[in-house]
């Protein structure tokens, strides 16, 4: 009986451990996950649905784009800002140019040049997203969109 | 003798530990350090010296501003980009509006609205800096500057 237990307990423990703690993703897997999340949110964004970004943004997200006078602080502010855009943004297709993810422990910094096309016209942006690892998955804590080489008065 | 050793060894160990591993800075101290580094580099920047930013940027820094067609990757590229600006940028004074630092383990995300004045005219920007903790101190791994509410054609 003792021998059986001696063999069985480590086996059961190993099975429980394997279920409870799967192998941590590699840095390459993390990079792929982050880019996949961003593309999925952009897919919705370019079909008039800003809620894809809201769903993966943290409560303490901060946000910049060229239209606002001051950084937006927090998910309620970003939600209110995006609401009137619902159904108004469309693109025929888009591309992330050279997306790069720098992983620092529980932070992942995604940068890319973005281009979208609508009725044959291109629109080009610089983008920085900072994601934070949480028990619910990766969440955006900082978004910064700016036009690439805008024409100024 | 044994009693003396029992007392002395923990004391010596405590002293060595205190010397070798000073208390880790609090999150507030980290935030203050990051903002101090940024202001010091901006002080040099607004006096025509971009090398303050280069000195605190990591080898793998990535960089966006509105003048470039594609994200700059790496310190050599940023150094080459900044070189012709030496001596050409000046401001009478500047201010970081509501700087916020979000610390995620060994990453610190600094965001602020920036305003500088030169000969009475103001210039307003959005800025995101991501710093990474290294054995040499905090180093910038991502910089994103964009104009606040630019006038477009």
């Amino acid at each position: 009986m003792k021998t059986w237990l001696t063999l069985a307990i480590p086996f059961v423990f190993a099975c429980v451990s394997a279920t409870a703690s799967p192998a941590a993703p590699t840095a390459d897997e993390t990079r792929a996950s982050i880019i996949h999340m961003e593309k999925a949110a952009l897919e919705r964004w370019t079909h008039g649905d800003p809620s894809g970004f809201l769903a993966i943004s943290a409560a303490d997200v901060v946000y910049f784009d060229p239209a606002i006078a001051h950084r937006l602080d927090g998910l309620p502010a970003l939600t209110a800002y995006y609401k009137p855009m619902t159904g108004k943004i469309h693109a025929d297709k888009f591309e992330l140019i050279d997306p790069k993810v720098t992983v620092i422990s529980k932070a992942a910094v995604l940068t890319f040049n973005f281009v979208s096309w609508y009725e044959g016209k291109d629109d080009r942006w610089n983008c920085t997203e900072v994601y934070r690892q949480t028990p619910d998955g990766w969440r955006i804590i900082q978004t910064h969109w700016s036009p690439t080489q805008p024409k100024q008065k």
Side-chain angles (χ1 to χ4, degrees), chain A residues 25-44:
Chain A
T26 65
D28 278 348
E29 287 168 343
T30 295
R31 289 184 187 102
S33 294
I34 295 291
I35 292 170
H36 177 80
M37 288 177 71
E38 187 76 14
K39 283 184 177 173
L42 280 166
E43 191 63 40
R44 291 170 65 174

Side-chain angles (χ1 to χ4, degrees), chain A residues 2-144:
Chain A
K2 196 176 172 188
T3 307
W4 184 87
L5 267 181
T6 309
L7 288 171
I9 289 174
F11 176 72
V12 171
F13 183 73
C15 292
V16 171
S17 296
T19 309
S21 306
T26 65
D28 278 348
E29 287 168 343
T30 295
R31 289 184 187 102
S33 294
I34 295 291
I35 292 170
H36 177 80
M37 288 177 71
E38 187 76 14
K39 283 184 177 173
L42 280 166
E43 191 63 40
R44 291 170 65 174
W45 178 266
T46 55
H47 287 82
D49 176 12
S51 66
F53 276 113
L54 297 173
I56 59 167
S57 291
D60 60 344
V61 65
V62 295
Y63 176 92
F64 285 123
D65 78 23
I68 57 177
H70 188 284
R71 180 191 63 213
L72 292 182
D73 288 352
L75 191 55
L78 186 58
T79 303
Y81 180 61
Y82 274 173
K83 196 176 177 187
M85 299 183 199
T86 306
K88 295 188 178 163
I89 293 167
H90 297 283
D92 298 322
K93 59 175 183 166
F94 69 85
E95 191 182 323
L96 276 64
I97 302 169
D98 293 335
K100 180 183 167 81
V101 182
T102 302
V103 180
I104 308 167
S105 184
K106 290 182 183 298
V109 183
L110 167 64
T111 53
F112 56 93
N113 287 98
F114 175 84
V115 55
S116 65
W117 291 269
Y118 184 61
E119 296 182 348
K121 202 178 159 193
D122 64 326
D123 197 18
R124 291 176 186 272
W125 296 81
N126 309 324
C127 182
T128 301
E129 300 275 35
V130 183
Y131 285 74
R132 179 175 56 207
Q133 199 174 24
T134 76
D136 299 325
W138 290 91
R139 291 293 178 269
I140 298 172
I141 61 118
Q142 189 281 162
T143 290
H144 191 150

